[in-house]
Amino acid sequence: MSTRPWIVDDNVWTLIEPLLPPWPERSPGPRPVADRLCLQGILYVLYNDIAWQLLPLELGFGSGQTCWRRLERWQQAGIFDQLHRILLAELNAAGQLDWSRACVDSSHIRVKRGVPTPVRRRSTGARRAANTT
């Protein structure tokens, strides 16, 4: 393992970069921090388990607030779901995944709303309560 695992190498960056949304041409404020540096800042915060405010500016990743905002923007755009699928496909193609150890967690699957239930339910209303005395 690298001594600095938050550094994104060129091979991984070539997979990530096409997924990222382009930065708006006319965005207010100073020139934005490069996406790769922001990603490395995000990984640094997560790896070291520190607060966003404690991200050292000397590393050149931008401020913690900048990295946090970029993370929020990418999360809302669904970048990490896409990246997860791509990395799984790459690892599977290389024979690096053991699918016998995989499991499906139904808490991550959306429930279809409005679908009629196949079983008729017994009514619970308009009945007298049982006498308990």
Side-chain angles (χ1 to χ4, degrees):
M1 181 165 206
S2 170
T3 58
R4 299 182 316 164
W6 53 86
I7 301 299
V8 178
D9 70 359
D10 293 336
N11 294 333
V12 175
W13 184 245
T14 58
L15 294 173
I16 297 171
E17 188 176 25
L19 302 175
L20 301 177
W23 195 257
E25 288 292 323
R26 305 184 122 219
S27 61
R31 183 180 173 97
V33 176
D35 287 334
R36 187 172 184 168
L37 290 174
C38 272
L39 177 60
Q40 291 177 156
I42 292 165
L43 295 174
Y44 181 89
V45 167
L46 295 175
Y47 181 81
N48 291 297
D49 195 24
I50 61 171
W52 291 104
Q53 300 90 334
L54 299 178
L55 179 64
L57 289 174
E58 307 85 53
L59 295 175
F61 301 143
S63 71
Q65 183 72 22
T66 297
C67 291
W68 180 84
R69 283 186 182 143
R70 198 74 55 91
L71 173 64
E72 178 71 18
R73 183 172 182 244
W74 292 342
Q75 181 62 33
Q76 298 224 344
I79 302 301
F80 296 104
D81 291 334
Q82 293 174 33
L83 178 60
H84 186 236
R85 286 188 203 100
I86 289 170
L87 291 175
L88 283 176
E90 292 275 329
L91 290 170
N92 188 45
Q96 296 293 313
L97 292 180
D98 181 6
W99 289 108
S100 68
R101 298 179 54 102
C103 68
V104 176
D105 182 359
S106 65
S107 68
H108 291 76
I109 299 173
R110 289 191 170 226
V111 174
K112 291 183 180 180
R113 299 190 188 273
V115 176
T117 57
V119 179
R120 186 173 170 181
R121 306 275 186 232
R122 227 166 93 192
S123 174
T124 59
R127 271 193 320 178
R128 292 180 54 135
N131 188 356
T132 59
T133 56

